[in-house]
Coordinates of all heavy atoms in Angstrom, one line a residue:
T1183 N 0.8 -1.2 0.0 CA 0.0 0.0 0.0 C 0.9 1.2 0.0 O 1.7 1.4 0.9 CB -0.9 0.0 1.2 OG1 -1.7 -1.1 1.2 CG2 -1.8 1.3 1.2
V1184 N 0.7 2.1 -1.0 CA 1.5 3.3 -1.1 C 0.7 4.4 -0.4 O -0.5 4.6 -0.6 CB 1.7 3.7 -2.6 CG1 2.4 5.0 -2.7 CG2 2.4 2.6 -3.3
D1185 N 1.4 5.0 0.6 CA 0.8 6.1 1.4 C 0.9 7.4 0.6 O 1.9 8.0 0.3 CB 1.6 6.3 2.7 CG 1.0 7.3 3.6 OD1 -0.2 7.7 3.4 OD2 1.7 7.8 4.5
V1186 N -0.3 7.9 0.2 CA -0.4 9.1 -0.6 C -0.8 10.2 0.4 O -1.9 10.2 0.9 CB -1.4 9.0 -1.7 CG1 -1.5 10.4 -2.5 CG2 -1.0 7.9 -2.7
Q1187 N 0.0 11.2 0.6 CA -0.3 12.3 1.5 C -0.7 13.5 0.6 O 0.2 14.2 -0.1 CB 0.9 12.7 2.3 CG 1.4 11.6 3.2 CD 2.6 12.0 4.1 OE1 3.1 13.1 3.9 NE2 3.1 11.1 4.9
D1188 N -2.0 13.7 0.5 CA -2.5 14.8 -0.4 C -2.0 16.1 0.0 O -2.1 16.6 1.2 CB -4.0 14.8 -0.4 CG -4.6 13.5 -1.0 OD1 -4.0 13.1 -2.0 OD2 -5.6 13.0 -0.6
G1189 N -1.4 16.9 -1.0 CA -1.0 18.2 -0.8 C -2.1 19.2 -1.3 O -3.3 18.8 -1.3
S1190 N -1.7 20.3 -1.7 CA -2.7 21.3 -2.2 C -3.2 20.8 -3.5 O -2.5 20.2 -4.3 CB -2.0 22.7 -2.3 OG -0.9 22.6 -3.1
A1191 N -4.4 21.2 -3.8 CA -5.0 20.9 -5.1 C -4.3 21.7 -6.2 O -4.3 22.9 -6.1 CB -6.5 21.2 -5.1
V1192 N -3.7 20.9 -7.2 CA -3.0 21.6 -8.2 C -3.0 20.8 -9.5 O -3.1 19.6 -9.4 CB -1.5 21.8 -7.7 CG1 -0.8 20.4 -7.4 CG2 -0.7 22.6 -8.7
S1193 N -3.0 21.5 -10.6 CA -2.9 20.9 -11.9 C -1.6 21.2 -12.5 O -1.1 22.3 -12.4 CB -4.1 21.4 -12.8 OG -5.3 21.0 -12.3
V1194 N -1.0 20.2 -13.1 CA 0.3 20.4 -13.7 C 0.1 20.3 -15.3 O -0.8 19.8 -15.8 CB 1.3 19.3 -13.3 CG1 1.6 19.4 -11.8 CG2 0.8 17.9 -13.7
R1195 N 1.1 21.0 -15.9 CA 1.1 21.0 -17.4 C 1.9 19.9 -17.9 O 3.1 19.9 -17.9 CB 1.6 22.4 -17.9 CG 1.6 22.6 -19.4 CD 1.9 24.0 -19.7 NE 3.2 24.4 -19.2 CZ 4.4 24.2 -19.9 NH1 4.3 23.7 -21.1 NH2 5.5 24.6 -19.4
A1196 N 1.2 18.8 -18.3 CA 1.9 17.6 -18.6 C 1.1 16.7 -19.6 O -0.1 16.9 -19.8 CB 2.2 16.8 -17.4
D1197 N 1.8 15.7 -20.1 CA 1.2 14.6 -20.9 C 0.7 13.6 -19.9 O 1.6 13.0 -19.2 CB 2.2 14.1 -21.9 CG 1.5 13.0 -22.8 OD1 0.9 12.1 -22.3 OD2 1.7 13.1 -24.0
P1198 N -0.6 13.3 -19.8 CA -1.0 12.4 -18.7 C -0.4 11.0 -18.8 O -0.1 10.4 -17.8 CB -2.5 12.4 -18.9 CG -2.8 12.9 -20.3 CD -1.7 13.8 -20.6
D1199 N -0.3 10.5 -20.0 CA 0.3 9.1 -20.1 C 1.7 9.1 -19.7 O 2.2 8.2 -19.0 CB 0.1 8.6 -21.6 CG -1.4 8.4 -21.9 OD1 -2.2 8.2 -21.0 OD2 -1.7 8.6 -23.1
Q1200 N 2.5 10.1 -20.2 CA 3.9 10.1 -19.9 C 4.2 10.4 -18.4 O 5.0 9.8 -17.7 CB 4.7 11.1 -20.7 CG 4.7 10.8 -22.2 CD 5.6 11.7 -23.0 OE1 6.4 12.5 -22.4 NE2 5.5 11.6 -24.3
L1201 N 3.4 11.3 -17.8 CA 3.5 11.6 -16.4 C 3.2 10.4 -15.6 O 3.9 10.0 -14.6 CB 2.6 12.8 -16.0 CG 2.5 13.1 -14.5 CD1 3.9 13.5 -14.0 CD2 1.5 14.2 -14.3
E1202 N 2.1 9.6 -15.9 CA 1.8 8.4 -15.2 C 2.9 7.4 -15.3 O 3.2 6.7 -14.4 CB 0.5 7.9 -15.7 CG 0.0 6.7 -15.0 CD -1.4 6.2 -15.4 OE1 -2.2 7.1 -15.9 OE2 -1.7 5.0 -15.4
Q1203 N 3.5 7.3 -16.5 CA 4.6 6.4 -16.7 C 5.8 6.7 -15.9 O 6.4 5.8 -15.2 CB 5.0 6.4 -18.2 CG 5.8 5.2 -18.6 CD 5.1 3.9 -18.6 OE1 3.9 3.8 -19.2 NE2 5.6 2.8 -18.1
A1204 N 6.2 8.0 -15.8 CA 7.3 8.4 -15.0 C 7.0 8.1 -13.5 O 7.9 7.6 -12.8 CB 7.6 9.9 -15.2
L1205 N 5.8 8.5 -13.0 CA 5.5 8.2 -11.6 C 5.5 6.7 -11.3 O 5.9 6.3 -10.2 CB 4.2 8.9 -11.3 CG 4.2 10.4 -11.2 CD1 2.7 10.9 -11.0 CD2 5.1 10.9 -10.1
L1206 N 5.0 5.9 -12.2 CA 4.9 4.5 -12.0 C 6.3 3.9 -11.9 O 6.6 3.1 -11.0 CB 4.2 3.8 -13.2 CG 4.1 2.3 -13.1 CD1 3.3 1.9 -11.8 CD2 3.4 1.8 -14.4
N1207 N 7.3 4.4 -12.7 CA 8.6 3.9 -12.6 C 9.2 4.3 -11.2 O 9.9 3.4 -10.6 CB 9.5 4.6 -13.7 CG 9.2 4.0 -15.1 OD1 8.7 2.9 -15.2 ND2 9.4 4.8 -16.1
L1208 N 9.0 5.5 -10.8 CA 9.6 5.9 -9.5 C 8.9 5.2 -8.3 O 9.6 4.8 -7.4 CB 9.4 7.5 -9.3 CG 10.1 8.3 -10.4 CD1 9.7 9.8 -10.2 CD2 11.6 8.1 -10.3
V1209 N 7.6 5.0 -8.4 CA 6.9 4.3 -7.3 C 7.4 2.8 -7.3 O 7.6 2.2 -6.2 CB 5.4 4.4 -7.5 CG1 4.7 3.4 -6.5 CG2 5.0 5.8 -7.2
R1210 N 7.5 2.2 -8.4 CA 8.0 0.8 -8.4 C 9.4 0.6 -7.9 O 9.7 -0.3 -7.2 CB 7.9 0.2 -9.8 CG 6.4 0.0 -10.3 CD 6.4 -0.7 -11.6 NE 7.1 -2.0 -11.6 CZ 6.5 -3.2 -11.2 NH1 5.2 -3.1 -10.8 NH2 7.2 -4.3 -11.2
N1211 N 10.3 1.6 -8.3 CA 11.7 1.6 -7.7 C 11.6 1.7 -6.2 O 12.4 1.0 -5.5 CB 12.5 2.6 -8.4 CG 12.9 2.3 -9.8 OD1 12.9 1.1 -10.2 ND2 13.4 3.3 -10.5
A1212 N 10.8 2.6 -5.7 CA 10.7 2.9 -4.3 C 10.2 1.6 -3.6 O 10.7 1.2 -2.5 CB 9.9 4.1 -4.0
A1213 N 9.2 1.0 -4.2 CA 8.6 -0.2 -3.6 C 9.6 -1.4 -3.6 O 9.7 -2.1 -2.6 CB 7.4 -0.7 -4.3
D1214 N 10.4 -1.5 -4.6 CA 11.5 -2.5 -4.7 C 12.5 -2.3 -3.5 O 12.9 -3.3 -2.9 CB 12.2 -2.5 -6.0 CG 11.3 -3.0 -7.2 OD1 10.4 -3.7 -6.9 OD2 11.6 -2.6 -8.3
A1215 N 12.8 -1.1 -3.3 CA 13.8 -0.8 -2.2 C 13.2 -1.0 -0.8 O 13.8 -1.6 0.1 CB 14.3 0.6 -2.3
A1216 N 11.9 -0.6 -0.7 CA 11.3 -0.7 0.7 C 11.0 -2.1 1.0 O 11.1 -2.5 2.2 CB 9.9 0.1 0.6
R1217 N 10.8 -3.0 0.1 CA 10.5 -4.4 0.4 C 11.8 -5.1 1.0 O 11.6 -6.1 1.6 CB 10.1 -5.1 -0.9 CG 8.7 -4.7 -1.4 CD 8.3 -5.5 -2.6 NE 8.1 -6.9 -2.4 CZ 8.0 -7.8 -3.3 NH1 8.1 -7.4 -4.6 NH2 7.9 -9.1 -3.0
Q1218 N 12.9 -4.6 0.7 CA 14.2 -5.2 1.2 C 14.3 -5.0 2.7 O 14.9 -5.8 3.4 CB 15.4 -4.5 0.6 CG 15.4 -4.7 -1.0 CD 16.7 -4.1 -1.6 OE1 17.7 -4.0 -1.0 NE2 16.5 -3.6 -2.8

């Protein structure tokens, strides 16, 4: 379970698919490290 701490409501100027892909890579790397 990834703990999401909601910050201020904000919209970013981005490509939704690419942004999701980048965040997914970072979250998966973090999960791999945390499981150790």
Side-chain angles (χ1 to χ4, degrees):
T1183 300
V1184 177
D1185 181 19
V1186 179
Q1187 299 180 0
D1188 290 324
S1190 57
V1192 60
S1193 296
V1194 295
R1195 186 169 56 90
D1197 184 307
D1199 295 332
Q1200 292 188 14
L1201 176 58
E1202 186 174 327
Q1203 196 70 46
L1205 290 175
L1206 179 60
N1207 289 335
L1208 298 175
V1209 170
R1210 286 186 62 83
N1211 283 344
D1214 290 338
R1217 292 180 65 192
Q1218 299 180 34

